[in-house]
Amino acid sequence: MTAPDAAPAPSPADTGKRRLAPPRSATGAEAPGQGDRPPNPLGWRFTAPLLLGSTLNPINSSMIATALVGIGADFRSSPGATAGLISVLYLCSAVAQPTMGKLSVLFGPRRVFLSGVAVLLLAGVVGVLAPNLGVLLISRALIGIGTSACYPTAMALVRRRADESGIGVPGRVLGNFSIAAQVTAVVGLPLGGVLAGAFGWRALFAVNIPLALLAFTFTLIGVAKDAPVRKQGLGSLLTMLDLPGIALFAGAIISLLVFLSALTTPDWWLAVLAVVLTGVLLLRERHARSPLIDVGMLGRNGPLQRTYLRTVLAALATYASMYGASQWMEQSMGLNPATVGLILIPLSLLSIVVARVVSARAWVRWPLILAGVALTLSAGVMLLVNHSSGVVLLIGMTLLLGLTNGFSSFANQAALYLQTTAAEIAVASGLLRTSMYLGAIGSSSLIGIAFGPSATDAGFHALAWILLAIGASMVLLTAFDRSVPAVAAEH
C-alpha cells in the first residue's frame, strides 16, 4: 500500500498535517448558495456518482438470488451449477477489492473507478447475450471485478477531496456510503424479483448497462481528473503492479473462502494451502519494491488489524443470524417467505436509522461497543424463543440485530479512515470489503454446523450460543482497545 513514484504528490494527511485549500472548479463542488455561503466540496455532484458506483456490488450480489431457478431451467443446469453465479462474484470481489485499490495508487482513483464502471457495462452486455451458463459465469466474474473498483477508489477520492479542502473526517459522507450499501443489499432481492418476473432473468444483467452509463457520465462531470501519470518502462510498471503479490493474494483468499464455505465437510488441504500461500505472500511482500499489501505497515498498525477483525466478526454474526433466523422461521415455525421478509424489514430500517444517527455525530468507540452488546442481547433472545413463540418476540430479536448492523457499519469504516493515510486508504478499504466477504461466506458454514440437516429449535439455540460468544468478543475487542477514538475527529 505504499505509493510509487508515479503517483501524485502525497496529501497533507500523509504528513500528519492538514491545510485549507480553496476547492478548484474542476473538482465538481456544488455551486455556491446565496450570500457568502461557501460551496460544499463534498456535495452531491461529487459524491452521488461515487455512491452509485459503490452500491453496484451489493445490489448485484443480492439480485441474482431470485433468478437462479429461471436460469437453471433455461440452461438445464442443476441448482449446484447455478449457485456458482453467486460464489464467483464473491470470490472475484474478495480478490479484486484490494487489487483495484493498488491500481488506483498507480494510475489514479478516478481512472480506475471509470475503468471498473466500463467493465461493468461490458459485463451487462455479456450477460444479456449469454448463450449458456459458462458465458453467464464470465459475466458475473466481470461484474465482481468491475464493481470492486468502485468502493476503494471512492474512499480514496473522498479522502483526497477532504484533505485538499481542509476537512477533517467526513462522517456524514462515510455514513452515506454505509447506508447506501445497506439499502441496496436489502432492495436488491425484491428488485431482482420484480425485474425477473416482469422481463425475465436477463433483465438483472441488463440493468447494469444504464447504471454503469449513469455512474460513468456523472463521474466525468463531477469528479476532478487525476494528476498525470509519469511515463515509465514496461519493466518498471510490472514491478510497481506487483503481479506475483496479486497472484499469491488471490490464491490465498480463494483457498480460504472455498474452505470456509464448506466447514461441515472441510477440505483441510485448502486450509493448509491458504496458510502456505499467506506465508509466502508475507515474505514476498516484505521485500517487494511496490507491494500490494504493505505488510510492514500492517504489522505495525495494530488498530487497523483489530478493525479488520471486528469487521469479520460483525459480518459473520450479522449474516449468520439473519439467514439462520430466516431458515429457522420457515422450517421450524412454518412461516412463509413473505411473512419472514416482513419480520426482517424492521432490521433493515433500524440499521439505516442508526447508521445515519451515528455518522451524523461521527461516533466511533461507543457504537462499536454497543454493536457487540446488541448482538449479545439478540443472542439471549434467540435462546428464549422456540417454534411456538410470538411474532412480537421475533421482531424484538431482529431489531437488536439491526442495532448491531447499524452501529458497526459506519464505525468500522470511520476507524479505518483514521487509521490509514491517504496513500494507504484505497488498498486498506479494499481489504475491509474482503474482511466482510470472509465473514459473509463463513456464516453459511456456521449455520450448517449449528443446524445440521434441518433448522430445529436446538440448532437455533446452538447458533445463539455461538453468536453470544461473538458478541462478547466484539465488546471486549473494543472496550480494551484505547486506540479507538470516541469521535472521528482529527488527531
Side-chain angles (χ1 to χ4, degrees):
M1 291 183 282
T2 305
D5 296 337
S11 71
D14 295 329
T15 63
K17 302 177 181 178
R18 296 180 187 268
R19 59 180 172 83
L20 181 63
R24 298 166 295 180
S25 60
T27 60
E30 291 180 345
Q34 298 296 324
D36 297 328
R37 183 182 178 185
N40 180 7
L42 294 174
W44 282 106
R45 187 181 180 190
F46 171 76
T47 59
L50 304 183
L51 282 169
L52 174 58
S54 67
T55 61
L56 294 174
N57 189 279
I59 199 169
N60 272 284
S61 298
S62 54
M63 275 198 308
I64 196 68
T66 60
L68 295 179
V69 174
I71 293 171
D74 283 358
F75 292 142
R76 299 180 181 178
S77 301
S78 67
T82 55
L85 295 170
I86 297 176
S87 59
V88 71
L89 186 140
Y90 276 126
L91 292 174
C92 289
S93 298
V95 173
Q97 292 271 356
T99 302
M100 292 300 177
K102 168 68 173 179
L103 293 178
S104 75
V105 174
L106 291 174
F107 303 110
R110 182 178 183 265
R111 294 187 186 97
V112 176
F113 183 96
L114 290 171
S115 298
V117 173
V119 171
L120 176 64
L121 177 63
L122 173 63
V125 174
V126 172
V128 170
L129 302 177
N132 53 56
L133 184 61
V135 176
L136 207 60
L137 285 168
I138 293 174
S139 173
R140 287 285 290 178
L142 291 173
I143 289 174
I145 294 169
T147 56
S148 292
C150 297
Y151 176 72
T153 55
M155 289 297 99
L157 288 164
V158 168
R159 179 64 173 264
R160 183 175 74 185
R161 187 65 167 273
D163 289 347
E164 289 175 348
S165 304
I167 298 173
V169 180
R172 186 173 294 274
V173 174
L174 296 181
N176 287 338
F177 278 94
S178 298
I179 293 168
Q182 293 178 37
V183 170
T184 50
V186 172
V187 169
L189 195 60
L191 176 62
V194 170
L195 290 175
F199 306 105
W201 60 262
R202 292 185 188 271
L204 276 64
F205 293 85
V207 72
N208 287 298
I209 298 174
L211 291 176
L213 289 173
L214 282 173
F216 196 94
T217 301
F218 286 108
T219 301
L220 289 177
I221 295 172
V223 180
K225 293 182 179 180
D226 296 315
V229 177
R230 181 174 62 84
K231 292 182 179 180
Q232 54 188 321
L234 179 60
S236 178
L237 178 61
L238 292 176
T239 299
M240 302 301 270
L241 282 173
D242 188 24
L243 295 180
I246 292 173
L248 287 168
F249 177 77
I253 289 295
I254 291 174
S255 300
L256 179 59
L257 291 178
V258 175
F259 172 74
L260 291 175
S261 67
L263 287 179
T264 51
T265 55
D267 290 319
W268 292 106
W269 68 270
L270 286 171
V272 174
L273 179 61
V275 170
V276 171
L277 290 176
T278 300
V280 176
L281 173 67
L282 295 176
L283 290 174
R284 200 267 170 201
E285 296 297 87
R286 187 175 297 276
H287 302 289
R289 176 184 170 191
S290 176
L292 169 67
I293 301 172
D294 188 343
V295 295
M297 181 282 298
L298 188 58
R300 295 187 299 271
N301 197 337
L304 182 59
Q305 295 174 28
R306 292 188 286 275
T307 294
Y308 289 142
L309 179 56
R310 283 193 302 266
T311 301
V312 171
L313 292 175
L316 178 64
T318 300
Y319 283 99
S321 54
M322 185 167 60
Y323 292 123
S326 300
Q327 188 174 338
W328 172 76
M329 283 188 277
E330 288 188 38
Q331 292 187 0
S332 286
M333 300 189 70
L335 302 178
N336 59 54
T339 302
V340 173
L342 290 174
I343 292 174
L344 291 176
I345 285 177
L347 182 158
S348 304
L349 295 178
L350 186 60
S351 295
I352 294 167
V353 171
V354 169
R356 168 53 68 197
V357 172
V358 170
S359 62
R361 291 158 178 78
W363 293 331
V364 180
R365 183 176 183 80
W366 274 107
L368 290 174
I369 294 174
L370 291 175
V373 172
L375 177 61
T376 303
L377 293 175
S378 179
V381 176
M382 291 171 65
L383 289 171
L384 298 176
V385 300
N386 56 48
H387 65 276
S388 60
S389 296
V391 171
V392 174
L393 192 58
L394 298 179
I395 292 176
M397 177 187 71
T398 60
L399 286 174
L400 288 168
L401 293 175
L403 289 175
T404 298
N405 194 33
F407 279 132
S408 63
S409 59
F410 163 79
N412 278 320
Q413 187 172 254
L416 180 138
Y417 192 99
L418 292 165
Q419 292 160 353
T420 56
T421 66
E424 299 162 350
I425 193 168
V427 177
S429 296
L431 289 172
L432 186 73
R433 283 289 178 94
T434 300
S435 301
M436 292 175 60
Y437 292 128
L438 288 173
I441 291 178
S443 67
S444 62
S445 290
L446 187 61
I447 292 171
I449 292 171
F451 284 170
S454 62
T456 63
D457 287 350
F460 193 56
H461 293 159
L463 180 62
W465 283 113
I466 298 173
L467 295 176
L468 191 69
I470 295 175
S473 299
M474 290 171 62
V475 172
L476 296 174
L477 193 60
T478 305
F480 290 98
D481 185 357
R482 306 312 303 175
S483 68
V484 179
V487 179
E490 292 184 71
H491 62 185

